[in-house]
Every structure is written in structure tokens, then in C-alpha cells.
Amino acid sequence: MPKLAVFPKAFMIPLCKDGTMRLSEWIALAVKLDIEGLEWYAGFLEMKDEKNWLGFRRQVEDHGKVIPMMCCSPDFTNGDAAFRAIEINKQKRWIDMTQTLGGSYCRVLSGQKRPELSIEEGVKLAADCILECLPYAQERNITLIIENHYKDDFWEYPEFAQKMDIFCKLVDSIHHPFFGVNYDPSNTYLAGEDPIELLKRVADRVVTMHASDRYLKEGTLEDLRNEEDGAQGYARRLSHGEIGKGLNDYDAIFRILKTAGFDSWISIEDGVDGMDQLERSVSFLRKKIAQYWP
């Protein structure tokens, strides 16, 4: 049966930028929820000091929870080999961080969609960098998970592998027992594409999932595709919403995942409108998991 984790989507600025919230405060809020784990983020300010890593693991485990997943954003599509080497070293440090925290999954990405980059070049650069990290991850029993991502908060350009065909091309170029997909249905809408179609294409490679939901503030999905395709910045027509009340068809998603044999972690990216919203999203997913994994 899948297990639930939560991610501090509502508190990224306080935890990562201005330091107005401590990780101990987030832990205290999260452990009250009906979950098994807390997804971690490599960019938390307090994670800069490696001496803190074990302490946070103990704080979480003292509440009977675990830290199963690490969210981080390597940028592997830069044409400069020296730049890519730095990103590979960052990824290896994040793998070490994941291991120290007791986790099993560490995210990778392709990198930024730089204008001068062809699809073939981008796929090769990203794949080569991920393949270079995989032996390091395997030695530490960490699975690298690539997400169908939109754009890191600190990137100039959107994700190189944002579009379904490119993402699948990259995934299909890497076959390794410690590599898989972190499926995020909401990000597919940001690419102007169908999340169910993507899931059908990668279901046998999915090892973790991000659960969130989006709703249209105005217009239609066709309007979204016409206006947002290739645009920089977040989609203007889409907004985060409570899970189960947005565009995602969780019945279809869970049917496909169940058929594919999925039984791993689902991390909730929600709560932007408060902890009450996050609690309702947890409850919704608990009911759906019980329905499809009785």
C-alpha cells in the first residue's frame, strides 16, 4: 500500500529564503497529520550545515515518521563541462544528504531549456550526468527519481524535459535499477498536456509521486495550451488548489498506478491556503488509497 508524505509548499520562502520559519516548526506542524513521512528539500537554509542533518532526522523519527524523499534541482543541460561537473558534485552531496536523513529517493532533473540547445543535445547532456551519478547513488542505496518538472524557482528558463515527448525520451535513455520516475500530474498541465497520457507512458517506471491539484482561474484548458506553451514563468490561468477539487483525475491516476504495481511514496504538495487545507488533502488521499489498495 502506498505511504503518504508531505512537502512544505506553503513555507518555502520562510524555510529557504528569509529564515522566518525554523525546520523544527515545520516538523511540529507536519507530524500531527495522518502521514508516514516528510519530504525534504535540499535548499532549506538550515541544511547548509551538515552537522544539522542527523539532528533533523532524529526530530522526525522521534515522532514516528521518516524522511523518505529528497527534493533538489540539478541543472545538467549547460554546455559548459565545468558547470556540469559542479552540478554533478552537488547532486552527489544531495545523495549523501538523503542517506544521512534515512531516505531512499533523491530527485534529479534534466536542467534548463536553454534556447541554443537542441533536443538531442539536451537529452544526451542530462542522461550522461545522471548516469555519472547513478553508481554513487547505488553504493548508498539511493534511487534517483526524475520528475516531469516545470521550473525551479531559481531558474531563468523552464525545465528542458517539460514536454512529454522529451521527458519520455530522456527516461527511455536510462535503464538502471536505481533510477525511476517521480510522477507529478499537475506539472503536465503546465506543459499544456494530458497527465493521464503521460502516466500511461511511464507507469512502469514510476517509483514515487507528487500529489497536488490545480484549477483554472479563468478560461479553458485550450486557452491554457494556446497561451502558455513555451512561455516563461508560471501559468497565469492555473492556481494550486485542494487535492480532489482540481483538474486531476485521481481515480484514473490510482487505477493506472495500482495496475502497474505501485506501492511506494506519495508526497503531497499542498497547503498553500493553510494547514487545514493540507489536512483535507491528506484525508482525501487516504480515502483514495484505501479504495484502490484495499
Side-chain angles (χ1 to χ4, degrees):
M1 179 179 291
K3 298 173 283 292
L4 287 180
V6 289
F7 186 81
K9 194 70 177 178
F11 304 115
M12 293 301 283
I13 297 299
L15 290 171
C16 304
K17 293 286 284 184
D18 59 29
T20 55
M21 185 179 196
R22 309 292 292 182
L23 277 169
S24 57
E25 296 177 76
W26 162 242
I27 293 169
L29 289 172
V31 295
K32 296 175 184 176
L33 299 166
D34 182 19
I35 56 169
E36 290 87 7
L38 282 68
E39 182 180 6
W40 221 244
Y41 183 62
F44 291 147
L45 291 173
E46 293 174 86
M47 294 302 290
K48 289 181 180 179
D49 188 347
E50 294 183 17
K51 296 176 184 176
N52 292 333
W53 295 359
L54 270 177
F56 289 126
R57 174 178 177 174
R58 293 192 189 102
Q59 282 187 47
V60 173
E61 292 181 350
D62 283 347
H63 291 281
K65 316 294 183 183
V66 296
I67 300 173
M69 301 165 59
M70 175 65 65
C71 184
C72 47
S73 302
D75 183 2
F76 292 144
T77 55
N78 192 300
D80 183 349
F83 182 97
R84 295 196 304 278
I86 292 171
E87 294 298 296
I88 288 168
N89 286 333
K90 286 181 185 177
Q91 184 70 49
K92 289 179 177 179
R93 184 173 186 268
W94 295 328
I95 291 168
D96 288 337
M97 185 186 290
T98 307
Q99 182 189 38
T100 301
L101 291 170
S104 300
Y105 303 98
C106 184
R107 189 175 78 174
V108 290
L109 296 175
S110 58
Q112 297 188 60
K113 186 181 179 182
R114 293 174 169 86
E116 70 277 8
L117 202 62
S118 71
I119 292 175
E120 291 73 19
E121 290 170 330
V123 168
K124 186 177 188 315
L125 290 176
D128 286 350
C129 290
I130 293 169
L131 287 166
E132 189 165 338
C133 294
L134 276 166
Y136 193 87
Q138 182 172 6
E139 288 171 5
R140 288 149 184 81
N141 202 32
I142 303 296
T143 297
L144 299 185
I145 49 174
I146 188 162
E147 182 177 345
N148 56 302
H149 199 238
Y150 173 53
K151 184 182 181 183
D152 185 83
D153 289 339
F154 307 106
W155 283 3
E156 181 181 358
Y157 301 106
E159 179 79 22
F160 167 76
Q162 180 190 16
K163 292 293 186 179
M164 188 185 309
D165 286 346
I166 302 174
F167 181 77
C168 292
K169 188 178 181 71
L170 176 56
V171 170
D172 289 343
S173 71
I174 303 171
H175 292 275
H176 192 282
F178 283 79
F179 177 78
V181 168
N182 180 66
Y183 171 67
D184 188 319
S186 293
N187 283 341
T188 318
Y189 284 117
L190 290 162
E193 297 178 328
D194 180 1
I196 302 303
E197 181 185 349
L198 173 62
L199 181 56
K200 288 177 178 177
R201 291 177 65 172
V202 300
D204 62 335
R205 306 292 300 274
V206 174
V207 293
T208 59
M209 175 181 169
H210 276 165
S212 63
D213 223 334
R214 298 293 211 285
Y215 67 91
L216 281 166
K217 291 185 286 188
E218 58 183 8
T220 66
L221 282 174
E222 190 60 33
D223 293 329
L224 174 68
R225 294 186 182 99
N226 290 336
E227 292 178 8
E228 302 297 345
D229 187 23
Q232 291 188 28
Y234 280 84
R236 295 181 297 277
R237 290 181 181 271
L238 279 183
S239 179
H240 269 280
E242 184 176 323
I243 296 179
K245 294 187 176 180
L247 295 166
N248 287 319
D249 183 348
Y250 275 92
D251 287 300
I253 290 168
F254 282 178
R255 275 196 297 268
I256 295 168
L257 288 175
K258 170 66 174 177
T259 301
F262 178 84
D263 65 352
S264 185
W265 285 93
I266 299 172
S267 181
I268 303 170
E269 289 189 321
D270 193 10
V272 294
D273 294 324
M275 291 299 293
D276 288 347
Q277 182 192 58
L278 184 53
E279 189 171 3
R280 291 192 299 272
S281 292
V282 170
S283 178
F284 171 83
L285 287 168
R286 276 281 173 230
K287 291 174 183 176
K288 285 298 176 188
I289 288 172
Q291 179 181 347
Y292 288 95
W293 285 267

